[in-house]
């Protein structure tokens, strides 16, 4: 092999390496130019998509509106059942009194869970606008009776 051939081979190798490096640089630039812009704006696009899919959805609005009524009604149903059991307890036998007391305890716990669920959802910024204006902002877990309209 002559010195000229070695130089020619080195030159071709340098061009090949330069070409590979150039392609890699173009690839990185392309990723940042196209993928990078998506990555930078992902948060904003995700927030807009989430808002559109929930708050902007008619189904979400209707379901949330009905959910507030359902939760308030669950609290009132528990209160009504507690009241009926307390009235029955007056004339009940000892065995039945024990059963009634257990049922009342369970209903009180269920009522508190419903009150907490209602209050939690009412405090959520994306749900609060869909609570009916006649429903209370918060329910009181210590109240004897719950009113589902103002």
């Amino acid at each position: 092999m002559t010195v000229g051939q070695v130089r020619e081979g080195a030159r071709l190798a340098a061009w090949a390496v330069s070409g590979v490096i150039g392609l890699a640089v173009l690839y990185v630039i392309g990723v940042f130019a196209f993928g990078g812009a998506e990555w930078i704006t992902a948060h904003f696009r995700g927030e807009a998509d989430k808002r559109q899919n929930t708050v902007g959805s008619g189904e979400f609005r209707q379901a949330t509106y009905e959910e507030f009524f359902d939760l308030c009604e669950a609290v009132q149903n528990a209160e009504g059942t507690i009241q009926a059991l307390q009235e029955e307890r007056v004339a009940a036998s000892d065995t039945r009194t024990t059963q009634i007391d257990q049922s009342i305890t369970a209903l009180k716990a269920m009522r508190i869970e419903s009150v907490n669920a209602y209050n939690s959802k009412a405090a959520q910024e994306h749900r609060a606008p869909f609570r009916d204006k006649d429903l209370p902002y918060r329910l009181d877990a210590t109240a004897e009776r719950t009113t589902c309209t103002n």
Side-chain angles (χ1 to χ4, degrees), residues 32-89:
F32 279 108
F34 298 104
E38 282 187 35
W39 180 76
I40 291 170
T41 62
H43 175 73
F44 303 113
R45 287 181 294 114
E47 288 294 321
D49 288 346
K50 182 174 73 172
R51 189 172 36 255
Q52 186 60 31
N53 289 336
T54 57
V55 176
S57 165
E59 291 174 12
F60 173 82
R61 290 170 180 235
Q62 185 65 32
T64 302
Y65 179 83
E66 291 171 1
E67 185 176 29
F68 281 113
F69 278 105
D70 291 345
L71 288 168
C72 196
E73 183 180 28
V75 172
Q76 287 183 319
N77 288 341
E79 292 168 353
T81 306
I82 290 169
Q83 179 68 34
L85 287 170
Q86 287 172 337
E87 290 170 7
E88 180 186 347
R89 189 178 188 281

Side-chain angles (χ1 to χ4, degrees), residues 85-94 96-97 100:
L85 287 170
Q86 287 172 337
E87 290 170 7
E88 180 186 347
R89 189 178 188 281
V90 174
S93 66
D94 288 342
R96 180 66 182 137
T97 300
I100 290 172

